């Protein structure tokens, strides 16, 4: 497959495969709750976003050193290259690591070094988007932004992730204003489990240039008109939506409707080690469910390039 896809919504911690969890736990002397991979695998059944996040944060405890983050990112880049990804804008959750005593600089240096070296070997360019963990206090988000900006590692943008409902984007208005003033791009998860009001706030209060997920935008016709007329990119993650029960099945995913409405949608894997696959697996699931012809995939690939921050221009005017 040609490397003509940009992956714009993938959490590096969500690429932590079970084999690497056991490997890193052994290397770092960390005791796991499960005796083996088969036992751990039984826990990859999710009711909703929170039930996934509980396991996601538990598993990432095995990541402690710069080398761990380097190896994690290297493995993702090699796999993404086989999926046709030529460019990635990688989400990282520094607060999830600093809370365990792993400094933001350690995390970012490992990810950045892999993007630089393994990315070049694998033919994948990339950048880092540091995400605010929205169910942690606002002061923690501000401290994270200070740490990230002070790390000396080049950063593409600031994002917003973790438990959505009850944590509206407006809580972090000032943090995102500071990020924009520092020249960072701005994106936000909204409309995954939260309603259209979260998407409006992400756009109007945070100045988000892309919306991550955004599938619940369809409930609000005025929002659909806004997203369409401004061609604001939505980074949609079909297998994630099914596994977290945001949609009942892949066949009932609103992606075809979003395309019909003229929305600028892109396809992404979100947390591929947890949701049944990488970008190519998501594309295959869509092909099987909807029988899309090659033109649709060409549009989706072109959308991903247009929505990326590669050009240096904002994704949204
Ligand atoms: N949604 C919100 N936060 C996340 C996700 C997600 O799908 N994956 C990792 N953090
Ligand atoms: Zn996500």
């Amino acid at each position: 497959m040609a490397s003509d896809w940009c992956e714009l919504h993938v959490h590096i911690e969500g690429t932590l495969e079970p084999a690497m969890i056991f490997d890193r736990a052994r290397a770092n002397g960390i005791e796991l709750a499960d005796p083996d991979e088969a036992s751990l695998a039984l826990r990859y059944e999710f009711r909703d976003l929170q039930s996934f996040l509980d396991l996601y944060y538990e598993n990432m405890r095995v990541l402690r050193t710069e080398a761990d983050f380097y190896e994690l990112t290297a493995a993702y880049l090699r796999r993404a290259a086989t999926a046709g990804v030529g460019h990635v804008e990688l989400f990282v959750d520094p607060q999830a690591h600093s809370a365990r005593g792993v400094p933001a600089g350690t995390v970012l240096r490992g990810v950045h070094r892999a993007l630089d070296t393994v990315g070049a070997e694998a033919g994948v360019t990339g950048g880092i988007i540091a995400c605010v963990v929205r169910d942690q206090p606002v002061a923690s988000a501000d401290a994270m932004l200070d740490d990230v900006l002070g790390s000396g590692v080049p950063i593409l943008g600031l994002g917003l992730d973790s438990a959505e409902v009850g944590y509206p984007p407006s809580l972090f208005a000032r943090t995102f204003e500071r990020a924009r003033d520092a020249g960072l791009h701005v994106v936000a998860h909204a409309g995954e489990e939260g309603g259209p009001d979260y998407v409006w706030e992400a756009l109007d209060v945070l100045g988000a240039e892309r919306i991550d997920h955004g599938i619940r935008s369809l409930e609000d016709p005025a929002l659909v008109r806004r997203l369409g007329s401004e061609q604001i990119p939505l980074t949609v993650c079909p297998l994630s939506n099914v596994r977290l029960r945001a949609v009942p099945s892949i066949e009932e995913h609103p992606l075809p409707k979003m395309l019909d409405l003229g929305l600028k949608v892109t396809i992404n894997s979100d947390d591929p080690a947890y949701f049944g696959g990488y970008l190519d697996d998501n594309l295959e699931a869509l092909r099987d469910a909807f029988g899309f012809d090659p033109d649709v995939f060409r549009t989706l690939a072109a959308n991903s390039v247009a929505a990326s921050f590669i050009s240096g221009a904002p994704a949204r005017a």
Side-chain angles (χ1 to χ4, degrees), residues 11 49 52-53 56 161-162 189 192 213 270-271:
H11 303 259
L49 175 58
F52 152 70
L53 289 170
Y56 168 84
D161 69 5
S162 201
H189 282 57
E192 179 185 18
H213 293 296
D270 205 4
D271 299 283

Side-chain angles (χ1 to χ4, degrees), residues 9-11 13-14 49 52-53 56-57 60 91 93 131-132 134 160-164 189 192-193 212-213 237 240-241 244 270-271 275:
H9 184 160
V10 55
H11 303 259
E13 299 90 346
L49 175 58
F52 152 70
L53 289 170
Y56 168 84
Y57 290 123
M60 71 173 74
F91 291 146
D93 284 335
C131 288
V132 167
R134 67 205 298 170
L160 180 68
D161 69 5
S162 201
E164 183 178 1
H189 282 57
E192 179 185 18
E193 284 191 344
D212 298 311
H213 293 296
C237 307
S240 165
N241 296 149
L244 298 188
D270 205 4
D271 299 283
F275 300 149

